[in-house]
Amino acid sequence: MHELNRARAEVGVPPLIWNVSLEAYARNNANKRVSDCKLVYFHGPYGECIAKSYGGGNSADAVRLWIAERVFYNHESNNCSSECRSYTQVVWRNTKYLGCATAQCYNGWTFVTCSFDPPGNQKGQSPY
């Protein structure tokens, strides 16, 4: 969570607060992916970022991956040159709470999901 909040501080938005209800929600969703480990969004009431890695991946590795998307985001035009919606969710100014979970998939991969409340990536709005 430290790296995530550091990325938020870099763009002038407040840190996120860990929420156990969001963690439970994320854990429930992560457990739904253990049979296939597919990167499928759940499209629930919260913002979400997902990732997978082989072996011992964890939420800190996923957060670094999502933050690395910042190179694709242009704040002036509020556009992405490639995939950057995970980054913009991480730094979304109105988001206050976070909960993450991992699940070990049957195929040896690890599925990671983080839930954000309130959700970000509102069409036409800048994250910060």
Side-chain angles (χ1 to χ4, degrees), residues 63-82:
V63 166
R64 283 189 285 278
L65 179 71
W66 301 328
I67 291 170
E69 291 179 0
R70 78 177 138 218
V71 299
F72 303 118
Y73 178 67
N74 181 312
H75 182 65
E76 287 181 25
S77 66
N78 193 34
N79 285 311
C80 300
S81 63
S82 185

Side-chain angles (χ1 to χ4, degrees), residues 99-116:
C100 300
T102 62
Q104 188 66 41
C105 300
Y106 297 151
N107 63 5
W109 288 74
T110 301
F111 185 88
V112 180
T113 183
C114 290
S115 299
F116 299 81

